[in-house]
Amino acid sequence: MTINESLQWAIGMLEQEGVENARGNAEHLLDHCLGMERTARFFLRYERALSAAEENEYRRLVTQRADRVPLQYLLGKAPFLNEDLVVDEGVLIPRPETEQVVEVAIRLLRQEGGVGDLVMFDIGTGSGAIAVSLAKELPAKVWASDVSADALKVAQANIRRLRVEGQVTLIHGDLFCPFHVLNLEGQVDLVISNPPYIPHGILGGLAPEVSQYEPWMALDGGEDGCDFYREIIPEAISFLKPDMGWLILELGDGLAIQVKDIIESQRKFAPPQIFPDLNGKARVIAAKRGQ
Ligand code: SAM
Ligand code: GLN
């Protein structure tokens, strides 16, 4: 088959299976099979025949995409801020909403203008998206935890990819547990997390790309979506620098008021600030520790 015929076949197949943006997906996978940057498609001769190996690989990937395997898992990478990060089925695919969380953190910490290296905890680091991006942008030492050993392998690959080995340390374990041995109580400038926050009951009803292929461990926030906020918020206090340290969390849809209440009920934080995402939804909450 020619490139053009293959592309038309792929678009038809993806449309039939209800994949959003069938053309874009078909083109991305074609670029991947041809080992080509997206911008190089301009020079492609659409009448050229694919080799047998190229055609087999393209058919395999398009069929998987038609089965709703997320595009990013098939490509093995996902864009995040200005980088491409490595991803596989062991990690949540980093989302544009999370870019917003990182941007808020950078802005608030730059305003503080502290001296020396900042100390940060990223709870549930997954692909390492938040940790590596912060390390790239700020003079920071980041400690990042996850309960998933598979996720930490991917995070390690991203640490190497962005060359932040000297700044980010991964620790395997539950929430703050692995941090207790570090003796950093009262010394942390930022506790940041995009915790699992999808209410358990609605997980199965999400798009098949999410519900069938992304790790539930990365998504399931318990009955009301707030299980992790209830654990992270009180535990963060003892680690944060008095009068300086920030707690910054990504918010699940419709959870802003509940999470704000959990923060306020601790009586240890200045009034929280809430920031919207690009769709206008309350997506980030930031609260500075008081005395
Ligand atoms: N930080 C990444 C991001 O923003 O793309 C991943 C966020 S994902 C929503 C939540 C992460 O928390 C997953 O990687 C999951 O494995 C991890 N996780 C779930 N339960 C955890 C726990 N008890 N302790 C530490 N990490 C946990
Ligand atoms: N943003 C993800 C989604 O909507 C959920 C990530 C999370 O639970 N933190 O599918």
Side-chain angles (χ1 to χ4, degrees):
M1 279 210 287
T2 66
I3 287 180
N4 195 35
E5 285 163 350
S6 305
L7 203 51
Q8 296 314 319
W9 164 79
I11 293 168
M13 171 124 174
L14 296 178
E15 272 174 353
Q16 194 182 322
E17 296 302 323
V19 172
E20 250 181 63
N21 186 14
R23 169 172 287 275
N25 276 260
E27 288 178 351
H28 262 301
L29 291 172
L30 180 69
D31 296 345
H32 182 70
C33 290
L34 299 180
M36 195 172 76
E37 289 295 322
R38 211 171 153 69
T39 44
R41 189 164 340 102
F42 192 64
F43 301 102
L44 202 58
R45 289 188 300 112
Y46 282 87
E47 71 287 2
R48 148 162 114 71
L50 287 178
S51 71
E54 286 169 343
E55 191 172 323
N56 283 340
E57 178 66 355
Y58 193 46
R59 281 184 179 276
R60 189 181 69 80
L61 290 173
V62 171
T63 309
Q64 283 191 275
R65 186 67 191 101
D67 284 341
R68 308 303 286 266
V69 177
L71 179 67
Q72 295 88 338
Y73 289 155
L74 296 173
L75 300 175
K77 62 182 183 180
F80 190 76
L81 292 168
N82 298 319
E83 306 287 342
D84 271 340
L85 297 181
V86 176
V87 294
D88 68 18
E89 272 94 346
V91 293
L92 184 97
I93 296 162
R95 304 287 204 272
E97 293 89 322
T98 309
E99 297 180 332
Q100 189 82 15
V101 181
V102 172
E103 283 166 357
V104 166
I106 291 170
R107 208 167 346 123
L108 292 175
L109 287 156
R110 284 211 174 120
Q111 276 170 16
E112 297 301 319
V115 193
D117 273 4
L118 298 162
V119 179
M120 303 180 177
F121 286 174
D122 175 22
I123 310 287
T125 197
S127 63
I130 297 176
V132 296
S133 310
L134 288 171
K136 203 76 198 156
E137 283 299 317
L138 294 168
K141 171 85 192 124
V142 189
W143 304 89
S145 73
D146 208 292
V147 271
S148 160
D150 289 338
L152 291 180
K153 280 186 211 147
V154 175
Q156 191 58 49
N158 286 316
I159 289 173
R160 275 196 299 273
R161 191 182 173 95
L162 270 75
R163 301 201 182 83
V164 288
E165 291 95 332
Q167 286 176 268
V168 183
T169 306
L170 300 173
I171 320 190
H172 188 209
D174 180 32
L175 300 178
F176 290 86
C177 283
F179 297 146
H180 286 288
V181 293
L182 302 173
N183 291 323
L184 286 173
E185 279 78 1
Q187 296 176 57
V188 176
D189 297 277
L190 172 68
V191 171
I192 191 164
S193 183
N194 169 20
Y197 57 54
I198 308 284
H200 185 78
I202 71 163
L203 263 178
L206 299 176
E209 280 85 349
V210 182
S211 63
Q212 289 178 25
Y213 295 100
E214 295 204 273
W216 277 39
M217 198 199 288
L219 299 167
D220 189 348
E223 200 179 331
D224 63 353
C226 285
D227 278 6
F228 285 86
Y229 299 106
R230 278 188 287 269
E231 295 206 43
I232 291 171
I233 292 165
E235 270 219 69
I237 296 165
S238 63
F239 286 103
L240 289 170
K241 268 187 196 160
D243 250 349
M244 281 199 82
W246 284 97
L247 171 65
I248 300 183
L249 302 170
E250 180 165 326
L251 292 168
D253 284 1
L255 298 183
I257 302 292
Q258 273 160 282
V259 176
K260 185 166 171 275
D261 282 350
I262 301 170
I263 292 177
E264 285 173 346
S265 69
Q266 297 298 316
R267 300 179 184 285
K268 290 282 185 193
F269 292 97
Q273 301 173 39
I274 293 176
F275 302 85
D277 65 19
L278 300 171
N279 300 315
K281 288 189 179 158
R283 186 59 66 196
V284 191
I285 191 160
K288 198 177 188 181
R289 195 194 138 165
Q291 261 308 334

